[in-house]
Amino acid sequence: MDYARSSWRLMTWLRERLHEVTATEPQVPASGVRLVFVQFGDYSEAYSRLIERNGAENYYAQRYTLDFVAELARSERVSSVTVVTFSRDQALHELAPGLRSCGIELYPASGAARHQELTELVASLEPTHLIVSAPIVPLLRWGLEQGLPVLPLFADSFRGDDLRTQVRNARLAFVLNDPRIQFVANHNLAAALDLARIGVIDSKIVPYDWPAVVSPRQHPAKQAPTGDWGLKLVYVGTVSEAKGVGDLLHALRELEQGGLDVTLDVIGQLREPAIEALCAELGLADRVRFRGMRPHAEVRRAMREADVVVVPSRHEYPEGLPMTLYEGLCSRTPLVVSDHPMFQLRIRDGENALVFEAGKPGSLASRIRELTADAALYERLSANAEQAAEGYLCPLKWDRLIEAWLNPAHGAEIQRNLLSAQEITAQSA
C-alpha cells in the first residue's frame, strides 16, 4: 500500500509540473458544437416519458436534466447534442431537431466490459466536446488523444484497499491529471474530496449538485408513534448486495424474531434476483414488498409515510452522495444509515440520523430497535432534519457547471467552486 501511495504522489507531482508548463484553455468554437454525453440510464425512454408524454419522474431532478439538455440542443452555438447511454444496445435516432440518442450495453451479464465498442460508437458521432459521466479510462484517454475538450462529470467514490482497486484508481488519477482536462467534477463535497485522496490535482476538482427541488420545510417534524408500533421501513435505490439490501433483509429477520412488528418497502430497480430469493429463504415474503421503479412523487410520499428510511450501502459501493439521504432528510422521517465514508461529511450520528456498521445486520437491527425505544431520539432526529438539509447541497449546480465549461468566458463560476485548501486540510485532519 505504501508503494502504491508513493507512486500516486509521484505521478501527481509529475502531472502538476507538466500542468504548469503546458496547460491551455480549451478552444470552444462560437457555433457548430457537437456535444456528446456518455452516461448511465436510458435517456431515450426518459425523454419519451417526460418530454413527449409529460409523464412522471423516476429520479430526483430528472426533468431538470432533460430540459437542460434539450435546451442545449436548441442553442444557436450547438450543432447537435447526442446522449450515449449504457443501459442497452440502441441505434442512433433523433428525438428532436439537434437532439439524438443511442446506446450500448456496456456491462453485459456475461463477458468483459465493451469499452472498445463504446469508444468506436462515440468516435462515429464525431464530437467536438465530450462529457463522460463515469470513470471510463479508455474513453477519457481517447477524447484527449482526439484533442477534444473533455469534462469528467462523476457521481462516484473510489474506495477499496486491495491492489487491483489501487491500480485502477492510480490509472484514473493519471488520466484526470492530464493538463488537457481543465476540470474534474464529482457530485457533492465528499466525493470531490475522494478524487483528491486518490491523487487527482485538487486545483482542478469541482463539487457540483442538483437544485433543491424539495425541502424539509414542506413537512412538519414528526412525533414518535404511540401505542403498538407496527414499524414501517422503506429503502430506495438499486436493489443489490453492495447497496446493503441483503443486510437489511437479515436485519429485518432479526427484528421480527425479537418480537418487533416490522415491514419493509423496497423501491428501485432489481439488479440481483438473488435478493428476492433471499427474502423468501428468510421467510419474509409477507413482510417485504419489492415495488420496482416508482414515480418520484410516489417515492417521496413513501418516505414521508414510513417510520424509518434506511440507507444501508456497503463501503465497496461507489457512492457519491446519494440524493436518497437528502430526500430522507426532507421527508422528516428519521434516517438509519451505514457508516459509508461518503456519508460522514453530511451525517451526524444521533443528531440527524443513526449510523450503523456497514455490512453488519446485527448493528443495523440494533440501531432500529434503539429508535423504536426512544421517543425523544426519534423526534430529535426529525426536528434536526431541517438544519441538516440546509447545508447538504453544493452551490454549483449541474447545468451551470456545463454551461460554464462550454463557455470559457463564464469559467470564473467554476473557479469559485473549486476545492479549497481548507476543505482538503479539514478532510485530512
Side-chain angles (χ1 to χ4, degrees):
M1 183 181 299
D2 290 340
Y3 174 78
R5 287 176 178 170
S6 297
S7 299
W8 296 342
R9 292 192 188 100
L10 176 59
M11 286 189 294
T12 300
W13 184 86
L14 289 171
R15 282 297 188 186
E16 286 175 336
R17 304 291 79 72
L18 183 62
H19 189 274
E20 292 171 358
V21 176
T22 64
T24 58
E25 293 291 323
Q27 299 302 307
V28 182
S31 61
V33 169
R34 296 186 300 276
L35 176 61
V36 171
F37 287 86
V38 180
Q39 64 181 54
F40 290 100
D42 189 335
Y43 186 85
S44 181
E45 183 279 329
Y47 184 91
S48 174
R49 171 167 41 86
L50 289 171
I51 305 298
E52 296 177 345
R53 304 197 304 271
N54 197 30
E57 295 179 296
N58 285 339
Y59 302 105
Y60 185 98
Q62 190 176 31
R63 181 63 185 256
Y64 150 84
T65 60
L66 287 166
D67 285 344
F68 173 71
V69 172
E71 182 181 343
L72 274 181
R74 294 190 294 267
S75 171
E76 291 183 357
R77 57 191 166 79
V78 174
S79 173
S80 67
V81 176
T82 307
V83 181
V84 180
T85 60
F86 297 163
S87 58
R88 60 190 172 96
D89 289 352
Q90 185 180 57
L92 181 67
H93 60 288
E94 187 174 69
L95 299 172
L99 179 61
R100 306 178 298 175
S101 181
C102 58
I104 183 170
E105 187 180 7
L106 183 60
Y107 302 109
S110 59
R114 298 163 66 189
H115 289 151
Q116 181 61 35
E117 293 173 71
L118 173 64
T119 299
E120 291 171 356
L121 174 59
V122 172
S124 71
L125 302 172
E126 300 182 341
T128 62
H129 297 72
L130 179 62
I131 297 177
V132 183
S133 296
I136 304 172
V137 169
L139 183 61
L140 293 167
R141 186 180 294 120
W142 174 85
L144 295 175
E145 291 171 351
Q146 304 308 305
L148 303 179
V150 177
L151 176 62
L153 186 58
F154 303 152
D156 299 87
S157 57
F158 307 93
R159 294 283 154 170
D161 293 330
D162 60 286
L163 182 59
R164 182 177 180 180
T165 300
Q166 292 179 29
V167 171
R168 182 174 65 245
N169 289 343
R171 289 178 62 235
L172 175 64
F174 188 81
V175 172
L176 296 177
N177 283 338
D178 190 294
R180 292 169 292 183
I181 292 180
Q182 190 177 16
F183 303 111
V184 181
N186 211 349
H187 178 233
N188 214 283
L189 179 58
L193 288 165
D194 210 42
L195 283 169
R197 183 188 62 81
I198 68 169
V200 179
I201 298 169
D202 56 86
S203 60
K204 63 164 59 182
I205 302 171
V206 57
Y208 74 91
D209 229 311
W210 310 109
V213 297
V214 297
S215 167
R217 296 193 183 95
Q218 295 170 310
H219 303 291
K222 285 189 169 184
Q223 299 296 308
T226 58
D228 293 334
W229 191 337
L231 191 68
K232 184 176 180 181
L233 310 179
V234 65
Y235 165 86
V236 178
T238 301
V239 183
S240 70
E241 282 288 351
K243 286 285 281 185
V245 180
D247 301 325
L248 177 54
L249 293 177
H250 281 287
L252 190 72
R253 177 61 173 160
E254 183 175 326
L255 291 168
E256 183 189 45
Q257 289 178 331
L260 192 63
D261 179 14
V262 57
T263 60
L264 169 66
D265 275 359
V266 177
I267 301 176
Q269 183 179 4
L270 182 66
R271 290 282 177 84
E272 298 172 8
I275 295 290
E276 281 188 313
L278 174 63
C279 181
E281 179 185 329
L282 294 174
L284 297 172
D286 62 337
R287 296 281 180 174
V288 180
R289 290 194 303 169
F290 290 94
R291 301 181 59 195
M293 297 292 295
R294 309 305 302 168
H296 184 241
E298 189 175 327
V299 172
R300 290 167 52 194
R301 185 164 56 250
M303 285 185 169
R304 176 63 185 175
E305 293 174 354
D307 297 307
V308 182
V309 175
V310 185
V311 186
S313 305
R314 292 182 175 180
H315 289 196
E316 62 264 28
Y317 192 82
E319 296 279 17
L321 188 63
M323 295 307 295
T324 303
L325 287 177
Y326 177 72
E327 292 186 276
L329 292 169
C330 289
S331 76
R332 308 296 284 267
T333 298
L335 288 162
V336 177
V337 310
S338 76
D339 59 356
H340 193 289
M342 293 299 100
F343 302 168
Q344 294 174 7
L345 286 181
R346 301 301 188 202
I347 295 300
R348 295 290 181 268
D349 187 31
E351 295 181 16
N352 53 40
L354 293 186
V355 178
F356 72 94
E357 189 176 353
K360 301 292 181 65
S363 176
L364 171 53
S366 176
R367 297 320 302 267
I368 292 173
R369 276 194 297 267
E370 182 181 345
L371 194 59
T372 67
D374 190 339
L377 172 63
Y378 188 96
E379 293 172 6
R380 182 171 72 250
L381 295 181
S382 182
N384 290 348
E386 181 173 351
Q387 182 178 1
E390 288 301 316
Y392 193 97
L393 302 178
C394 297
L396 181 61
K397 306 310 178 191
W398 182 82
D399 61 326
R400 294 303 308 157
L401 168 64
I402 294 172
E403 280 281 10
W405 176 72
L406 286 171
N407 295 274
H410 300 156
E413 187 167 4
I414 299 179
Q415 293 287 347
R416 287 194 300 270
N417 288 278
L418 292 172
L419 281 183
S420 68
Q422 291 82 1
E423 288 167 335
I424 296 291
T425 301
Q427 177 70 357
S428 301

